[in-house]
Amino acid sequence: MTTSTTATTTVGRVLAVGSLKPSLAQTLSTTYDALVLPKEGPERDSFLTEYGGEIGVVVTSGRAGVAAELMTALPRLGAVVNFGVGYDTTDVDLALERGIVVSNTPDVLTDCVADTALGLTLDVLRGISAADRYVRAGRWPGEGPVPLARRVSGARIGVLGLGRIGRAIATRFAALGCPISYHSRREVPGVTYAYAATPTELAASVDVLVIATSGGAATSGLVSREVLEALGPEGYLVNIARGSVVDEEALVDLLTTGGLAGAGLDVFAAEPHVPEPLLALDNVVLTPHLASGTVQTRDEMERLTLDNLAAYLAHGKLVTPVPEMG
């Protein structure tokens, strides 16, 4: 991968926004002479005053993104290159309005995210993490076996959002003999899984509801209290999508009062903060947004991020623009 100084100068300087993979940040610095946006405060304000008009490309992550306020402070911005499949933290509507192109890193993290969904389901239904804590606390000799758990094979699985990741999740559960149903904005051609017309209808018909939809305003609160209550006291929720998709207040209430059997959660509404009541529940498995967190996947994400940057600097086009850019 090579990029000429002339190409970089023509489109403006590169700006790194948010915490990035160290090797990616190093490449941005050494190969592209990238600037780094300071954290919120007076230093950021003075930085944007001095350099805002020079920035042509932002490289960021799904956790940081480019919100409207930052985008407005970068009048020359032409591209947002996103390290991650999720890009709901970037104001895509404003980007479209201003002719700014946005990329993400689809496909390369599909398998690892789907693996995590399966792992969370196995863990929470079989009580693996809770049993591990039980053994480590020395309770087994004195208290005997842990309570019986729930079988995963054959459980009815509902997938909310049958995109790339949703289909990979469904394939994994189908291999365990699980009947699969799904809900998406529209029926997906060529699949044999049962289609539910609404999220509530889907939740009412399954044992485990796996959320694999995209984040952003369009799906905020999609898994409402009504949906969670339809899943019911024998049902489990697994979320590897975005915390914003779920009514988290209702989720906490139902988990703490027996309205749901359990949950496996990799994402939360106000990360890195997790609702305090969940920390004490053995029927909830909590992970720190690690679904794509393998060495191999992050390396592939980095490669695709740099490919998008190089392509934009050389030709003004992205390798993997987000769907809205099509």
Side-chain angles (χ1 to χ4, degrees):
M1 177 195 66
T2 58
T3 303
S4 69
T5 303
T6 302
T8 304
T9 303
T10 300
V11 302
R13 298 195 67 173
V14 176
L15 176 67
V17 173
S19 178
L20 296 172
K21 188 169 180 276
S23 56
L24 173 58
Q26 182 64 33
T27 299
L28 293 177
S29 175
T30 57
T31 304
Y32 297 99
D33 191 28
L35 297 169
V36 177
L37 183 68
K39 294 182 179 180
E40 295 284 354
E43 187 181 355
R44 174 181 286 202
D45 295 339
S46 60
F47 175 92
L48 290 172
T49 299
E50 183 174 358
Y51 296 108
E54 300 179 23
I55 304 303
V57 186
V58 165
V59 179
T60 187
S61 69
R63 298 189 186 190
V66 182
E69 182 180 3
L70 176 58
M71 200 174 289
T72 302
L74 306 174
R76 194 178 173 185
L77 185 64
V80 176
V81 177
N82 185 58
F83 176 85
V85 68
Y87 52 92
D88 50 296
T89 49
T90 290
D91 193 325
V92 175
D93 290 337
L94 181 57
L96 285 167
E97 183 181 316
R98 285 185 46 187
I100 298 167
V101 292
V102 180
S103 70
N104 66 340
T105 57
D107 296 322
V108 296
L109 45 65
T110 296
D111 285 332
C112 283
V113 175
D115 289 348
T116 302
L118 176 59
L120 284 171
T121 305
L122 287 164
D123 194 339
V124 69
L125 266 69
R126 294 301 308 273
I128 295 171
S129 289
D132 175 82
R133 291 190 294 272
Y134 185 83
V135 172
R136 291 176 187 274
R139 296 172 60 188
W140 189 10
E143 299 181 40
V146 296
L148 296 178
R150 175 70 179 270
R151 182 172 63 186
V152 177
S153 298
R156 298 171 300 167
I157 305 296
V159 181
L160 184 61
L162 203 69
R164 295 180 182 92
I165 293 172
R167 279 175 282 192
I169 290 169
T171 298
R172 283 156 173 74
F173 281 104
L176 297 179
C178 297
I180 309 296
S181 52
Y182 76 98
H183 172 76
S184 288
R185 284 173 292 183
R186 59 189 67 87
E187 290 192 54
V188 178
V191 303
T192 58
Y193 310 130
Y195 178 72
T198 67
T200 303
E201 179 183 314
L202 178 65
S205 66
V206 299
D207 302 307
V208 182
L209 179 62
V210 183
I211 305 173
T213 190
S214 58
T219 59
S220 180
L222 181 64
V223 180
S224 62
R225 175 177 284 274
E226 178 186 10
V227 174
L228 295 171
E229 289 178 344
L231 187 56
E234 300 298 319
Y236 295 81
L237 182 79
V238 172
N239 190 4
I240 47 75
R242 284 290 186 268
S244 60
V245 178
V246 180
D247 180 339
E248 192 168 81
E249 183 177 343
L251 175 63
V252 172
D253 178 45
L254 292 170
L255 284 169
T256 54
T257 59
L260 287 172
L265 307 173
D266 187 50
V267 289
F268 305 89
E271 295 177 4
H273 304 290
V274 176
E276 186 74 24
L278 297 183
L279 301 179
L281 299 180
D282 272 342
N283 63 332
V284 179
V285 178
L286 307 167
T287 53
H289 203 146
L290 55 66
S292 66
T294 65
V295 172
Q296 295 83 359
T297 290
R298 293 293 169 85
D299 285 348
E300 284 294 297
M301 290 167 64
E302 179 178 357
R303 176 194 58 76
L304 187 51
T305 299
L306 291 171
D307 285 350
N308 273 297
L309 177 59
Y312 180 76
L313 293 175
H315 311 295
K317 295 184 178 180
L318 298 166
V319 178
T320 53
V322 299
E324 292 89 338
M325 300 289 129

